Amino acid sequence: MRKLRKYTPTQFMAKTSHYDKSAADYAVSFIQALCHTKGTWAGKPFDLIDWQERIIRDIFGTLKSNGYRQFNTAYIEIPKKMGKSELAAAVALLLTCGDGEERAEVYGCAADRQQASIVFEVAADMVRMCPALDRRVKILTATKRIVYTPTNSFYQVLSAEAYSKHGFNIHGVVFDELHTQPNRKLFDVMTKGSGDARMQPLYFLITTAGTDTQSICYETHQKAKDILEGRKIDPTFYPIIFGADESDDWTDPKVWKKANPSLGITVGIDKVKAACESAKQNPAEENSFRQLRLNQWVKQSVRWMPMEKWDACNFAVSEDALEGRVCYGGLDLSSTTDITAFVLVFPPEEDGGKYCVLPYFWIPEENIDQRVRRDHVPYDLWERQGFLHTTEGNVVHYGYIEKFIERLGERFNIREIAFDRWGAVQMTQNLENMGFTVVPFGQGFKDMSPSTKELMKLVLEKQIAHGGHPVLRWMMDNIYIRTLPAGNIKPDKEKSTEKIDGAVATIMALDRALRNGSDGGTSVYDSRGLLFI
C-alpha cells in the first residue's frame, strides 16, 4: 500500500483552527486496526491509501480553538471501485465506537434499504474481524443496527422511505451514493438541525457523480465546486472531488489515472481499459463510462443524440436567405412560467439539399434571474445574445408569441404548424384566425417515432442545418429516449433531466416537412417508407 509521506494541513482550515496531529493519528490508527472484508483484500489490514488518509486527517485532525472538529460536513465525490464503501463503513464505526461520544446516534443513509445495507454489511464484517470491537459490539442484523455497549452508541441503517421520522439526535450520518436520492427530504431531515445537540456532528457524504442536475446531490456538488474554486467560503464544509474535466479526453489513460486515485490498487487499469473499449464500440455506454469510471456529471444514463454529430451540422442558417421559402412549424407550449418553443423547418428545394432549422424560444422576463440561479443555465446570456426572447411579467405572454408568429408568417411561407393537443387550444384557435393551418400532433409513439428516427438519420448524414443555436443544442443534449420492444421511440420529457421543448418542436415540424416537402406533394414516407433504426 502507498503511504502518505508528508502531510500538509488542508487549505480549508479556518484562521481560528489548527491541525492536531494526535487527533488525526488516533483516527487513522482506529481505521487501520480494521480489516478489509471483500475480494483479494479480505482479512488484510485496512491500510489507508494516500487519498483516504488525507481525508481522514483533514476531517478528524482539523480542530477549532475549543477542541472540537472544524468540519461538520464532508463531501467526497469519486468514481466506482475506489474503496468508497469500505471508507464509509470505517468512518461509521469510528463515529460510533471511537469518537468518545456518549449515546452517539450514527445513521447510514441511502436511496433504499438495500443500498444502505451495503455499507452496514461491510461495517458488521469489520467488527467481526476485529477482536477488540467484537467483544464490545452487538450486531443486530434483522434491524440493521450496530450497538457499541461501553457508551450505548449505535449505528443504524435508514433509507429514503424513513424521511418522515423526526426526533433524531445525530452525532454522525453516512450518506452512501447521495446521487441516487429520489428527492431531498431524507437529506434535509438528517442534516438540518438534527445534530444541534451535539458538539461535533459529522455528515459524511460519499458518492459517484450522477445524472440529475436538479437533485440534492448536484446542489451539494455545485457547492463543493464553488468552495474548491474559491467562489464560496464555508469553513464547516470539506469538499473533495476526484474526476475528469469536461475538456479531458475520456479515452486517455492519463485521464483515468487523474480521476481514479485508487487505480492499480482497488481496481486494475485493465478493467478500466476494457470498459473504455466497450464504450468506444457502443456509444450508448459512453455516458455510463464517463459517469461511473471518470466521475463526470452526465445529462442522463442513456445519451441519445451524439453531440459531436449534431455539432457537425452547424451549417449557417440565415433568416434573410430563407425569406419566402416553404416551411413547417412545430409549437411546444410550456406552462405559463416555463420555456415555450416554436421551430420552423425548411425542406430542401433541390435533391441533396439540407433541412434548415430556425428555432425561437420565450421565457417570462421576471423569473429569468431566478431560473439562472436555480437551474445553473445561462438564460440571461442567451437573452442578451438574442437566442432567447422574454415576455413581460412573471408568466409567458401567449399573445406576444402569437403576434411574433404572425410576423414570421409574413416573411416565410408557413404551410402548417404542428402542435401538442395539450394546453394549446386557445392559441391554436387564434393562429387559425390569423390564417395559419394548424395540425394537432400526438405525443405518443405512433406520431413521434417516425420523425424522431428521421431526425437522427439527417444528423448522421449531415443533411440538416441548425446554425449552432445554443438553446436548441442544449435541449438536444438533454433528450432521453423511451423505446418500445417493437423499436418505436419518442423523447421522454419525464426522464429527460432538463428541458427538451425545442427538440420536441423540431421533431413535430420535421414530420410535417417530411410528409409534405417543399411543394406540399410527395412524402418521404411514401417514396421510401418508414425508417427502422
Side-chain angles (χ1 to χ4, degrees), residues 406 414-417 428-438:
E406 185 177 30
I414 304 176
R415 291 285 180 86
E416 293 179 353
I417 297 176
T428 54
Q429 287 178 353
N430 294 341
L431 291 174
E432 280 187 326
N433 293 336
M434 293 177 183
F436 291 105
T437 300
V438 293

Side-chain angles (χ1 to χ4, degrees), residues 73-87:
T73 301
Y75 179 78
I76 295 94
E77 193 177 286
I78 192 166
K80 63 180 290 189
K81 302 301 182 184
M82 291 293 104
K84 178 164 50 65
S85 296
E86 287 77 9
L87 183 63

Side-chain angles (χ1 to χ4, degrees), residues 12-191:
F12 305 110
M13 183 181 294
K15 292 181 179 179
T16 56
S17 298
H18 65 282
Y19 174 66
D20 188 316
K21 185 176 182 298
S22 62
D25 285 346
Y26 171 79
V28 169
S29 297
F30 180 96
I31 292 175
Q32 295 194 147
L34 303 172
C35 291
H36 288 284
T37 65
K38 295 179 179 178
T40 57
W41 299 101
K44 295 180 180 179
F46 193 161
D47 290 331
L48 291 165
I49 306 169
D50 286 2
W51 69 270
Q52 294 174 326
E53 183 173 345
R54 176 171 293 280
I55 288 171
I56 296 302
R57 287 190 175 278
D58 282 349
I59 295 172
F60 290 91
T62 305
L63 306 183
K64 298 181 291 187
S65 56
N66 61 7
Y68 293 107
R69 287 190 289 269
Q70 173 185 314
F71 301 111
N72 61 32
T73 301
Y75 179 78
I76 295 94
E77 193 177 286
I78 192 166
K80 63 180 290 189
K81 302 301 182 184
M82 291 293 104
K84 178 164 50 65
S85 296
E86 287 77 9
L87 183 63
V91 169
L93 290 176
L94 175 55
L95 292 172
T96 305
C97 310
D99 217 20
E101 185 81 6
E102 290 290 329
R103 297 182 180 274
E105 296 182 20
V106 181
Y107 296 93
C109 297
D112 53 53
R113 191 172 176 83
Q114 182 178 1
Q115 178 67 40
S117 297
I118 293 174
V119 174
F120 172 84
E121 296 297 344
V122 174
D125 285 342
M126 284 179 169
V127 168
R128 296 183 185 104
M129 293 179 181
C130 178
L133 283 181
D134 198 29
R135 291 193 298 268
R136 298 170 173 84
V137 168
K138 293 180 180 178
I139 301 173
L140 308 176
T141 305
T143 56
K144 304 297 182 187
R145 177 179 286 226
I146 290 174
V147 180
Y148 182 62
T149 55
T151 60
N152 202 22
S153 300
F154 65 81
Y155 168 58
Q156 174 71 57
V157 167
L158 288 179
S159 63
E161 297 95 352
Y163 71 86
S164 60
K165 297 180 180 179
H166 292 266
F168 299 113
N169 186 357
I170 290 173
H171 177 61
V173 175
V174 175
F175 257 100
D176 185 33
E177 297 296 13
L178 183 61
H179 78 276
T180 62
Q181 283 295 307
N183 53 57
R184 62 179 304 135
K185 293 178 181 178
L186 177 62
F187 182 87
D188 286 345
V189 166
M190 302 307 290
T191 61

Side-chain angles (χ1 to χ4, degrees), residues 360-425:
Y360 302 91
F361 302 94
W362 295 269
I363 193 173
E365 184 177 38
E366 288 186 8
N367 69 15
I368 190 168
D369 292 335
Q370 176 188 350
R371 290 183 65 97
V372 169
R373 292 191 299 270
R374 186 191 71 191
D375 301 345
H376 308 286
V377 175
Y379 301 110
D380 53 347
L381 175 62
W382 291 337
E383 192 267 339
R384 289 196 299 271
Q385 294 174 334
F387 295 114
L388 179 69
H389 302 279
T390 58
T391 65
E392 290 185 6
N394 58 7
V395 297
V396 174
H397 193 300
Y398 290 152
Y400 176 88
I401 297 174
E402 291 166 8
K403 292 294 184 184
F404 192 100
I405 294 175
E406 185 177 30
R407 291 194 297 272
L408 290 177
E410 295 170 357
R411 297 191 65 189
F412 310 114
N413 185 0
I414 304 176
R415 291 285 180 86
E416 293 179 353
I417 297 176
F419 69 95
D420 178 2
R421 297 182 183 90
W422 185 87
V425 176

